[in-house]
Amino acid sequence: MTPPNPSSQPREFLQYLFGVAVQHALPLHRMAAYLPAPPKGRTLVLGAGKAAGSMAQALEALWPAQAPLQGLVVTRYGHIPPRPAGLPSRIEVVEAAHPVPDAAGQHAAERMLALTQGLTEDDLVLCLISGGGSALLTLPANGLTLADKRAINQALLNSGANIAEMNCVRKHLSRIKGGRLAAACAPARVVTLTISDVPGDDPSVIASGPTVPDPTDCAEALAVLRRYDIAIPPAIRRQLEQGELETPKPGDAVFAGNVVHLIATPLQSLQAAAEAARAAGLAAHILSDEIEGESCVVGKVHAALARAVARHAQPFARPCVILSGGETTVTVKPLPAGVARGRGGRAGEFCMGLAQALQGQPQVWALAADTDGIDGVQDNAGALVAPDTLARALGLGMKIDEHLDRNDAYGFFKALGDLVVTGPTHTNVNDFRAMLVL
């Protein structure tokens, strides 16, 4: 495919780079090199995440046709990819809610634990794990209801806590995350194939690490809850204080012989996009695949860099593409009575902060999007920013400050026609950001 011309089609070129990054992370392109040989016993497949459906299909296509294969994975509603013609169905795929869990996710988790019963050392468990699994694979700790878990999860999402902090809490309030699924599979060998959506690619953080040791403890989970003033039932607080909800730790015998393979990572996708930009004749620079922080603030920092490049050719010469990834956060702001909250996600919030700080800088275009195709809980992946973004908004009577105050990135960019809409991509390597400076 011939890429769009970046000089005459900057928006299309940025969307092309996003597409390259997503394609590079698709399971079918990444899984074959990491598959073990079929075992002496049976092969059970378990999994959760926004990419679980496509990972299951990739495994069905790659696993030897004569080798038995069965299992269950759970993905987000609407994220089961179309089945390729002629591909037999050997793994059941069910759907549940994300980012706030529901009863369907709890039922799926209960069924997975039931499937682990009777496994032997001759058996193999293939665990397909991707971002989103923390909410999709929900099984509240004893004494915690699903309603409690939903309320805690929503409070964490609104708090501005980073993904490691959120998943520390989630692991200790679960009967399946934080290594507990691997413990249930013992003595079978567990091979985890994971697509990373977290800064640093730590398998214990991805989907709250259901199959890997948990280095965090109950005291750290309590500290997060206190830091963000998140309410939990008194009985659960007592259990955390007394260490009764502790997770399996590194060195535990239940993990002996188990392996984890990162089959796709944010950095790999950023590198693929950089190579595509260079092939189009542009210099390409990757800032980091681990950027965290408040989304609109990260956007303002990126804007300062883009303005320096555009105005002073520092620290990079133009024309160039500047790429970054990671997982930013949005702290949902309190609003006066009667003021309606807006819609949006991390990528849109980043774009508002970026546009505000770019101040209409000529020759700078940008795209930010979530590689799963869903920005927060909206139907867009992200948004585009152009030199005339603020001017067009003012022409429509919109003030970007007011939209930032209401966390209304969706409303802002929808009115401009600058939403990036892809639908579910069936993978997830988290935030993708690209700035084109001509």
Side-chain angles (χ1 to χ4, degrees):
M1 172 183 173
T2 302
N5 186 298
S7 297
S8 60
Q9 299 174 288
R11 295 166 181 264
E12 293 79 4
F13 182 74
L14 288 169
Q15 292 185 79
Y16 163 75
L17 293 184
F18 177 57
V20 168
V22 168
Q23 285 291 316
H24 192 79
L26 290 176
L28 190 59
H29 300 162
R30 311 295 305 170
M31 187 179 287
Y34 302 100
L35 290 179
K40 179 180 177 181
R42 63 191 180 103
T43 300
L44 174 66
V45 181
L46 303 173
K50 296 175 188 174
S54 58
M55 293 179 83
Q57 287 188 7
L59 181 57
E60 288 170 329
L62 296 168
W63 198 249
Q66 71 278 9
L69 188 71
Q70 63 180 44
L72 171 69
V73 303
V74 57
T75 193
R76 179 176 174 162
Y77 291 120
H79 282 242
I80 299 177
R83 176 163 291 276
L87 179 65
S89 177
R90 298 194 273 176
I91 303 166
E92 184 181 358
V93 182
V94 298
E95 296 175 309
H98 177 279
V100 178
D102 67 357
Q106 180 171 338
H107 182 57
E110 290 168 343
R111 289 184 59 198
M112 286 186 204
L113 282 188
L115 288 171
T116 67
Q117 298 299 307
L119 289 170
T120 74
E121 60 187 13
D122 290 330
D123 299 326
L124 170 68
V125 180
L126 291 174
C127 285
L128 311 179
I129 303 298
S130 59
S134 292
L136 295 164
L137 199 63
T138 188
L139 197 56
N142 292 327
L144 196 69
T145 67
L146 178 60
D148 293 332
K149 197 76 178 286
R150 285 173 55 85
I152 294 167
N153 209 66
Q154 187 64 66
L156 284 167
L157 290 168
N158 291 346
S159 71
N162 67 36
I163 189 63
E165 291 173 318
M166 286 195 287
N167 286 359
C168 174
V169 173
R170 287 161 159 169
K171 285 184 278 191
H172 288 90
L173 300 185
S174 171
R175 286 183 284 132
I176 195 168
K177 295 191 276 285
R180 292 186 175 96
L181 179 57
C185 292
R189 181 176 182 237
V190 178
V191 174
T192 301
L193 306 176
T194 186
I195 295 177
S196 173
D197 73 325
V198 302
D201 303 328
D202 183 349
S204 74
V205 179
I206 303 165
S208 297
T211 62
V212 296
D214 177 28
T216 70
D217 58 28
C218 286
E220 290 174 74
L222 262 177
V224 172
L225 292 165
R226 288 170 178 150
R227 186 176 305 135
Y228 296 101
D229 194 25
I230 294 172
I232 56 173
I236 294 298
R237 182 174 296 279
R238 285 194 299 271
Q239 290 185 69
L240 287 172
E241 290 172 343
Q242 296 168 12
E244 296 173 5
L245 299 177
E246 206 47 271
T247 47
K249 296 291 177 263
D252 194 308
V254 299
F255 301 110
N258 294 355
V259 295
V260 177
H261 297 296
L262 288 163
I263 69 169
T265 69
L267 181 58
Q268 291 168 352
S269 285
L270 291 173
Q271 289 170 333
E275 291 170 7
R278 291 172 189 135
L282 294 170
H285 309 281
I286 299 174
L287 299 180
S288 172
D289 67 326
E290 299 185 35
I291 293 177
E292 298 180 85
E294 193 69 26
S295 293
C296 65
V297 176
V298 174
K300 291 175 182 178
V301 173
H302 278 61
L305 175 61
R307 281 170 62 84
V309 173
R311 298 168 72 186
H312 308 297
Q314 292 291 336
F316 308 127
R318 59 185 180 92
C320 68
V321 169
I322 302 168
L323 301 162
S324 73
E327 182 163 7
T328 59
T329 54
V330 175
T331 302
V332 178
K333 302 175 182 69
L335 292 172
V339 177
R341 186 169 308 287
R343 300 166 60 191
R346 297 192 310 265
E349 191 97 352
F350 168 91
C351 286
M352 283 201 294
L354 180 78
Q356 184 185 51
L358 279 174
Q359 303 171 36
Q361 177 65 49
Q363 300 302 106
V364 177
W365 287 261
L367 176 149
D370 197 315
T371 52
D372 66 3
I374 305 296
D375 188 20
V377 296
Q378 309 307 323
D379 59 4
N380 66 309
L384 285 153
V385 173
D388 63 351
T389 293
L390 293 183
R392 286 187 290 124
L394 286 173
L396 294 174
M398 296 191 302
K399 296 180 180 179
I400 196 167
D401 292 16
E402 294 176 356
H403 284 263
L404 272 167
D405 288 342
R406 294 188 293 111
N407 300 111
D408 188 29
Y410 189 94
F412 184 81
F413 289 106
K414 181 177 176 62
L416 295 175
D418 286 341
L419 293 176
V420 175
V421 180
T422 63
T425 64
H426 311 300
T427 191
N428 182 18
V429 287
N430 230 317
D431 299 347
F432 173 90
R433 296 177 287 269
M435 298 188 298
L436 173 63
V437 187
L438 296 175

